[in-house]
Amino acid sequence: MTIYYVNSATGSDRNGGTDQKSAFATLSKVESLGLKPGDSVLLAKGSVFNEQFDIKHSGTETAPIKIGSYGTGAAPVIHSGGDGIHSLYASNIVIENLKISNTGGAAIYGGDVTNWTVRNVEIAKSGMSQDAGAVTFRNSKNVTIEDSKISDVKGDGFWIEKVAVVKLLNNTVTSANGSTADAMQVNDSSNVLIKGNHLDQTHADSPKGVIVLVRATDAVVEDNVLTGGGFGISALAGKTVAIRDNDISGYHGYSWSFAVGLGDQGSARDYDISGNHIHDGAWGVAVSGATGSNYSLTNIKVHDNVFDDLTQAALKVDRPASGSFTNNTIETGVKATSISPAIIDAHTFSVSNNHTVANVETTLASTETKAAATTEPAVDSAVVAVHDNLKILTDADAARHGNLLENDSSDNDTLVLRRFGDETVGKHGLTVTGEYGVIHVDQEGNYAYTLDDTKLPDHGDHNGYVSESFSYGTDDGTSHHGDANTLTVFIHADGVLS
């Protein structure tokens, strides 16, 4: 397991590349190495690489190949006339803490890959050829993309096609531009989770929308904020699809614009559409389809949603379908349903127990107040973090181990290390290069600090010490965060620990 360093400003491809003072200069040099499981490639912050980075080798599940960054300052940037990062057939890859911009193709392209994680990657102005999504995965398995930002790209923000097990978590897409562009498109994929994303097509020049799901199987779309576009979620066809607890608004431009639509490109079965706040648009939920289509639309349940400020009905059903529209809240002035007479006569789509209110915001606020009054107040699970110190000698060559959380506490007796420095600690941990050494941490708070004595200043008689500090953040496994704290490493050059 080797760490390779790449610095476009100070490196040289004639160097060995295994420490910061002998960093490589180019990504093409890294491509020639034959990376092995557990290897890491760290790009110097502040570096700019004008080349496509091809990942040709695979890690293992327990020892993935990692592409990340080191140092201080702005994230390293990859520019390319082709793709930013490109890979075929590689497995067990982690890409994190980078920026990719001004690429002709995709910022990240993976085809026939397995077990990829992309996290905390910023993407801007990719897809100048308009032929690809900013992040594209095809014919792959186990792909997770999280905590990443995509802005002002040409083509879809995400293009996911024929991927088994895909998680798109806590990402931001702002303005995916182009005549066929959506913020996020997922085609012919299974076990899909789209959660916690903020997708905004308000100022995009695309006539399309925010999320497209085509022929999805076992998909969950929840807790997202979706704004703008010609539609919110177009779940055109699929089976076992849950669309819940999303905020969908600002979808305008067409008489057919909808917050949630299905039935236009295939059969749809077992849809649960619930808990969404749908507002400032045209149609609410559209159970529809292309003229002349004979797709099967069965067991479509639309319940416990809130609809307000719509120019059309909260529910539209104009193709043969079975399902129900129940227990929804609809603001006065919004038509509740628009259901074709033939479907009404067939008694296959029931409507019951829906509520009309004069003002949605007032009603919701009242409901929340009543709920709070009848429920025991939640105990804030406080997290207390205590400052940590590590004292080492300059002659201590081995890594020094400790745990950042052993002196911290929380009310529920659970602690997780979430951030270290300015980066997120993922499930595989995080390696950070400091001023005098390298430290690796994991989510359980364990750390290993290895001193690099070549970085120490010349103290003459070595009377004294130097130090460096790392900030970290914890939580209790939920949303209760503790105060940020620090680990300070004291490096004594006089051979005495005081």
Side-chain angles (χ1 to χ4, degrees):
M1 298 183 181
T2 304
I3 299 176
Y4 295 100
Y5 298 89
V6 192
N7 190 318
S8 65
T10 63
S12 169
D13 287 350
R14 294 187 298 272
N15 289 337
T18 55
D19 64 59
Q20 295 179 34
K21 291 184 178 180
S22 62
F24 296 135
T26 69
L27 302 177
S28 58
K29 176 63 178 180
V30 176
E31 293 172 12
S32 70
L33 294 176
L35 296 174
K36 296 178 175 58
D39 286 351
S40 295
V41 178
L42 302 183
L43 313 183
K45 291 185 176 181
S47 286
V48 177
F49 300 94
N50 296 301
E51 54 183 320
Q52 177 174 299
F53 188 14
D54 288 313
I55 299 178
K56 304 174 182 179
H57 303 279
S58 297
T60 65
E61 289 191 30
T62 57
I65 292 173
K66 299 180 180 181
I67 313 298
S69 62
Y70 72 96
T72 59
V77 181
I78 297 175
H79 302 310
S80 171
D83 297 333
I85 294 176
H86 180 97
S87 185
L88 296 173
Y89 308 112
S91 61
N92 301 297
I93 303 296
V94 176
I95 299 173
E96 58 189 355
N97 307 321
L98 307 175
K99 181 175 181 178
I100 305 171
S101 68
N102 298 95
T103 61
I108 299 174
Y109 180 94
D112 296 281
V113 301
T114 303
N115 295 340
W116 274 56
T117 297
V118 176
R119 70 167 66 94
N120 194 30
V121 173
E122 181 181 354
I123 296 170
K125 294 181 171 60
S126 72
M128 290 183 286
S129 64
Q130 301 189 42
D131 291 333
V135 177
T136 297
F137 284 90
R138 290 188 168 102
N139 304 308
S140 297
K141 184 177 180 180
N142 292 336
V143 173
T144 298
I145 306 164
E146 59 189 358
D147 300 314
S148 294
K149 297 180 180 180
I150 298 174
S151 63
D152 197 23
V153 296
K154 294 182 179 179
D156 299 87
F158 292 88
W159 181 276
I160 308 295
E161 182 178 4
K162 296 181 179 178
V163 176
V165 188
V166 55
K167 297 178 181 179
L168 306 175
L169 310 174
N170 304 316
N171 302 289
T172 300
V173 178
T174 306
S175 296
N177 302 292
S179 60
T180 62
D182 303 292
M184 187 178 286
Q185 178 145 355
V186 181
N187 295 348
D188 300 296
S189 297
S190 60
N191 293 298
V192 177
L193 176 60
I194 301 173
K195 183 175 181 178
N197 303 282
H198 192 155
L199 312 177
D200 188 351
Q201 287 288 80
T202 302
H203 301 293
D205 63 17
S206 170
K208 295 191 69 188
V210 184
I211 294 179
V212 177
L213 282 175
V214 183
R215 295 174 296 276
T217 301
D218 297 324
V220 175
V221 182
E222 66 180 356
D223 295 324
N224 303 284
V225 177
L226 313 178
T227 310
F231 56 81
I233 302 172
S234 184
L236 299 171
K239 57 184 178 181
T240 317
V241 175
I243 299 172
R244 60 198 182 206
D245 301 326
N246 302 285
D247 189 293
I248 309 171
S249 68
Y251 53 97
H252 298 292
Y254 306 99
S255 61
W256 53 262
S257 290
F258 51 76
V260 179
L262 56 106
D264 195 43
Q265 288 191 18
S267 297
R269 186 182 76 200
D270 300 333
Y271 276 48
D272 185 278
I273 302 169
S274 62
N276 303 287
H277 184 194
I278 294 171
H279 55 112
D280 186 24
W283 298 96
V285 177
V287 183
S288 188
T291 301
S293 65
N294 58 355
Y295 302 133
S296 173
L297 309 178
T298 58
N299 194 28
I300 311 302
K301 297 179 179 179
V302 184
H303 62 97
D304 297 288
N305 302 282
V306 175
F307 301 89
D308 65 281
D309 193 18
L310 303 182
T311 60
Q312 305 292 341
L315 173 71
K316 174 183 180 180
V317 185
D318 63 2
R319 296 292 184 272
S322 68
S324 58
F325 184 73
T326 60
N327 203 38
N328 298 284
T329 300
I330 305 162
E331 192 171 61
T332 302
V334 174
K335 185 178 180 180
T337 63
S338 175
I339 303 176
S340 71
I343 297 169
I344 293 175
D345 292 343
H347 302 291
T348 59
F349 212 103
S350 64
V351 177
S352 64
N353 298 320
N354 298 294
H355 315 283
T356 300
V357 299
N359 185 287
V360 162
E361 292 185 0
T362 300
T363 301
L364 291 179
S366 175
T367 301
E368 291 171 0
T369 299
K370 291 179 181 178
T374 57
T375 305
E376 293 184 8
V379 177
D380 186 8
S381 183
V383 178
V384 179
V386 179
H387 182 89
D388 293 89
N389 295 316
L390 169 65
K391 297 180 180 181
I392 63 177
L393 304 176
T394 56
D395 59 358
D397 295 330
R400 296 296 297 266
H401 298 269
N403 189 286
L404 296 169
L405 307 182
E406 64 183 2
N407 58 350
D408 302 337
S409 62
S410 71
D411 286 352
N412 68 358
D413 296 322
T414 298
L415 282 169
V416 180
L417 183 66
R418 291 301 188 193
R419 300 195 67 81
F420 192 80
D422 59 356
E423 300 180 13
T424 301
V425 181
K427 63 182 179 181
H428 299 296
L430 174 69
T431 299
V432 174
T433 300
E435 189 174 359
Y436 302 115
V438 176
I439 186 168
H440 181 82
V441 297
D442 63 24
Q443 291 184 337
E444 288 72 42
N446 299 305
Y447 69 82
Y449 181 91
T450 302
L451 176 67
D452 183 351
D453 56 13
T454 64
K455 296 181 178 180
L456 294 175
D458 184 4
H459 286 284
D461 61 358
H462 300 288
N463 184 22
Y465 66 86
V466 295
S467 66
E468 61 176 320
S469 295
F470 302 90
S471 63
Y472 69 90
T474 64
D475 70 28
D476 66 352
T478 63
S479 59
H480 298 99
H481 295 271
D483 294 332
N485 222 301
T486 56
L487 164 69
T488 300
V489 180
F490 295 94
I491 302 157
H492 290 250
D494 56 7
V496 178
L497 295 179
S498 57

